[in-house]
Amino acid sequence: MVHENLTTLREHLVSRKLALEHAAELIDVIGAISLASRSIAHKVRRARLADVLGEAGGDNVHGEAQQKLDVISNEVLLHCLRRCPSVGICASEEEDEAVPVRPLSDGGRFCVVYDPLDGSSNIDVAVSVGTIFSVLPNDDESVLQRGERQLAAGYVVYGSSVLMVLTLGEGVDLFVLDPDLGDFVLVQQGLQLPASRKIYSLNEAYRDDFPGGYQRYLDDAHAGGYSSRYIGSMVGDVHRTLLKGGVFLYPPTTQAPSGKLRLLYEGNPMAMLVEQAGGTATTGSGRIVEVEPAELHQRTPVILGSREEVARVLGHLQE
Ligand code: P6P
């Protein structure tokens, strides 16, 4: 069909006539994220050529060595979001504190919380990385809100192609960046996770450090003919889980009793997407989106994916 794949991201969002207050302004925020991610995609693609691989020389708030592209991606997102008239606060994995942009009284009605380049240590070996984002209302000038208050959530995966997976609370849609058009075009609407799939995804190197329930689950999976798939880049692992089913886990360990992944800009946006796609996203003791955040960079255990697979994990945790 000549008109195939010619619905752009903005056209699709406008056509949805979203039952959301300030929908037009929210679409502008997604547009700013789209612009930033298209710029980041270009930089990731040229990383080795433009000598922006490797470490930037500093550490982030978590004491992790910042990659050059982490810093660059964060600056690109801040630049694009600050120009968006309805953004009130930005918060990033690469910023120690939230960044005020404009008060609610001046139109800053949304908070945007993001991991500018998740999995960035994989760039040097050409493994998929991504931008993860969450949009919250700026009702009380704080980003410390439960994930169930998210107005939108999504990620952009910079892989063999550049994809955006997005929800505004009315289902999950998939867009592909068409390099010839220079824009994201709609390729799938209403993405639904398979109810079950014998795939589990976690870093088994830490097996002996997981609580016993996770070890019993792994024994069960090994006996049950499951496949193990783990990229070590959350965006890549969650994207495969969303499309093919299975379960992705980052459990607590003795070294990291709350797990490694961050609640506000990794756990919550991925949890909203998975739940909107008919899956389950839990900390092991409750929905991720119901956790009351106490600080910007707090971590959370993550178990998400096909509802029957997550139920299987929870069955072992509750034994
Ligand atoms: P580990 C990447 O550094 C990241 O934050 C996520 O993208 C990924 O899921 C996780 O860490 C991998 O952690 O401990 O398995 O190397």
Side-chain angles (χ1 to χ4, degrees):
M1 291 180 287
V2 294
H3 60 278
E4 186 174 335
N5 293 343
L6 267 184
T7 303
T8 65
L9 170 63
R10 176 174 290 277
E11 285 168 343
H12 175 65
L13 295 179
V14 169
S15 71
R16 293 282 298 273
K17 294 185 177 22
L18 297 158
L20 285 170
E21 199 183 3
H22 309 300
E25 292 159 294
L26 180 57
I27 291 172
D28 287 344
V29 174
I30 304 300
I33 294 169
S34 165
L35 175 60
S37 65
R38 281 176 277 154
S39 171
I40 294 167
H42 174 74
K43 297 177 189 310
V44 167
R45 201 169 39 252
R46 294 190 54 78
R48 182 167 290 280
L49 296 169
D51 187 28
V52 289
L53 289 178
E55 298 184 359
D59 290 349
N60 63 19
V61 65
H62 320 289
E64 296 164 345
Q66 283 182 310
Q67 305 294 317
K68 288 176 188 171
L69 271 175
D70 281 332
V71 176
I72 293 169
S73 302
N74 183 48
E75 287 165 4
V76 168
L77 274 154
L78 273 176
H79 173 77
C80 294
L81 288 166
R82 278 177 165 141
R83 294 188 316 186
C84 188
S86 53
V87 171
I89 304 178
C90 292
S92 166
E93 182 192 46
E94 302 303 329
E95 298 284 344
D96 296 1
E97 305 295 333
V99 178
V101 177
R102 61 178 64 75
L104 181 57
S105 57
D106 191 19
R109 68 177 72 258
F110 299 113
C111 303
V112 185
V113 186
Y114 56 83
D115 182 353
L117 204 58
D118 177 74
S120 53
S121 53
N122 288 305
I123 292 176
D124 297 10
V125 294
V127 166
S128 295
V129 293
T131 298
I132 311 171
F133 58 89
S134 167
V135 184
L136 294 154
N138 184 25
D139 294 348
D140 56 3
E141 311 279 332
S142 168
V143 298
L144 297 183
Q145 302 176 51
R146 292 187 314 284
E148 57 194 352
R149 286 176 51 80
Q150 291 174 109
L151 301 169
Y155 58 81
V156 179
V157 55
Y158 309 109
S160 51
S161 56
V162 179
L163 308 171
M164 181 186 285
V165 178
L166 173 70
T167 182
L168 277 70
E170 297 178 11
V172 178
D173 296 334
L174 176 59
F175 303 84
V176 173
L177 178 60
D178 182 328
D180 298 324
L181 294 179
D183 200 354
F184 285 101
V185 293
L186 177 71
V187 294
Q188 188 174 349
Q189 288 186 71
L191 192 149
Q192 282 294 301
L193 250 161
S196 66
R197 183 72 190 273
K198 288 190 170 185
I199 299 175
Y200 70 87
S201 179
L202 87 169
N203 188 334
E204 288 203 66
Y206 309 140
R207 176 207 159 89
D208 296 341
D209 220 12
F210 293 147
Y214 291 97
Q215 296 179 13
R216 288 191 295 275
Y217 166 73
L218 286 174
D219 295 341
D220 180 27
H222 295 158
Y226 276 61
S227 295
S228 171
R229 293 286 183 273
Y230 193 68
I231 299 171
S233 182
M234 185 185 196
V235 172
D237 282 316
V238 172
H239 188 61
R240 181 202 57 250
T241 303
L242 262 179
L243 267 59
K244 296 187 179 297
V247 57
F248 168 78
L249 309 91
Y250 204 106
T253 65
T254 43
Q255 297 303 318
S258 296
K260 173 181 183 182
L261 302 176
R262 288 78 167 182
L263 173 64
L264 286 179
Y265 43 81
E266 291 172 328
N268 277 338
M270 292 310 199
M272 182 178 185
L273 286 166
V274 165
E275 292 189 349
Q276 282 285 317
T280 306
T282 173
T283 64
S285 52
R287 288 172 70 209
I288 291 173
V289 295
E290 290 180 355
V291 175
E292 194 66 50
E295 56 178 41
L296 176 57
H297 299 293
Q298 82 179 55
R299 300 171 192 266
T300 178
V302 172
I303 308 166
L304 60 78
S306 299
R307 56 183 179 277
E308 292 176 19
E309 303 302 337
V310 172
R312 199 179 186 101
V313 177
L314 293 177
H316 287 288
L317 298 188
Q318 287 149 17
E319 280 163 355

